[in-house]
Amino acid sequence: MVIAIDGPAGAGKSSVARSVAERLGFTYLDSGAMYRTVALAALEQGVEPAALADAIRIELGDRVRLEGRDVTREIRSPRLSEAASRAAADPLVRAAMVAHQRRLLSEGDWVAEGRDIGTVVAPQAELKVFLTADPASRARRRARELGIDARQVLAEQALRDQRDATRAHSPLQPASDAVLIDTTSLTLDQVVDRIIGLVAE
Ligand code: DC
């Protein structure tokens, strides 16, 4: 079974998806971590992400590894958020990441988090959820996670939102059969309970 959880940055996807996976005993897939890791490898090697998207070895789990090296922390920096958003706009990069994600999801039970899980990666997912929240509260969440100023996050977030939503390939949008949940005034537990309820249905 696949549960797809999509939505913009800061809507609470990661905490929600991890928590739903834990409660159901499913495996959690953080697809954004894959785009971040490709972007990191490209920066380090001074090449375009598309040049190595097919060739690099990314392992996901409790830690994120690039060719065996633990990059869990490094990929969360604001510099990598920006580079990942650019990498994710490249159709060759997307094709490689989507193929990798489909291979993973083809067996077992998953909660997969991203932007295009319900629309492109796993349109057959048994449950699709699209999380949203107002921009200011998304920026506040992200700022708390990163320990930086919310105003700076808000400005950078607006740029990335714009790029993610208007790119030609797989722009961020809910699947037509996704359940929309606005998390602005909900607690993590309330969102998780709602999704567990939908699974039970
Ligand atoms: O969720 P995140 O912030 O870690 O994602 C990093 C970037 O990758 C972000 O700009 C959106 C992009 N992304 C994507 O285009 N498709 C996905 N399935 C996951 C992330």
Side-chain angles (χ1 to χ4, degrees):
M1 177 175 186
V2 174
I3 300 173
I5 301 188
D6 291 302
K13 289 191 308 290
S14 298
S15 317
V16 168
R18 273 179 210 282
S19 185
V20 170
E22 200 170 299
R23 287 220 351 224
L24 295 173
F26 287 16
T27 310
Y28 164 64
L29 172 64
D30 177 359
S31 63
M34 294 174 65
Y35 289 94
R36 288 171 179 272
T37 305
V38 171
L40 173 64
L43 281 176
E44 287 180 344
Q45 296 181 32
V47 297
E48 286 298 314
L52 42 68
D54 268 325
I56 56 170
R57 187 161 52 93
I58 301 171
E59 293 159 78
L60 301 174
D62 284 343
R63 313 297 296 174
V64 180
R65 292 180 200 280
L66 165 61
E67 304 295 346
R69 171 167 60 104
D70 190 332
V71 295
T72 315
R73 275 181 66 88
E74 215 173 333
I75 58 167
R76 297 294 155 198
S77 71
R79 184 172 83 112
L80 262 302
S81 296
E82 175 58 28
S85 167
R86 289 179 188 283
D90 184 326
L92 291 174
V93 174
R94 300 205 71 81
M97 297 301 105
V98 168
H100 188 166
Q101 290 153 20
R102 285 185 179 150
R103 276 196 300 278
L104 292 171
L105 298 182
S106 66
E107 269 176 49
D109 295 316
W110 294 86
V111 179
E113 175 218 320
R115 306 293 194 288
D116 61 345
I117 305 296
T119 48
V120 176
V121 177
Q124 82 290 357
E126 283 82 352
L127 175 64
K128 300 173 191 173
V129 174
F130 195 88
L131 296 185
T132 58
D134 71 44
S137 76
R138 287 167 43 215
R140 272 198 303 277
R141 273 188 197 140
R142 257 285 145 84
R144 225 173 353 205
E145 279 166 23
L146 296 168
I148 58 177
D149 183 46
R151 275 167 308 186
Q152 185 193 337
V153 176
L154 189 59
E156 289 168 3
Q157 172 183 282
L159 278 177
R160 276 207 312 281
D161 278 358
Q162 167 79 3
R163 191 183 303 132
D164 291 343
T166 58
R167 68 181 176 222
H169 297 275
S170 310
L172 176 65
Q173 58 179 17
S176 56
D177 52 350
V179 178
L180 301 188
I181 303 179
D182 185 332
T183 66
T184 306
S185 51
L186 298 176
T187 64
L188 171 64
D189 283 344
Q190 285 172 325
V191 180
V192 172
D193 285 346
R194 173 91 202 279
I195 295 174
I196 302 282
L198 290 168
V199 176
E201 275 175 31

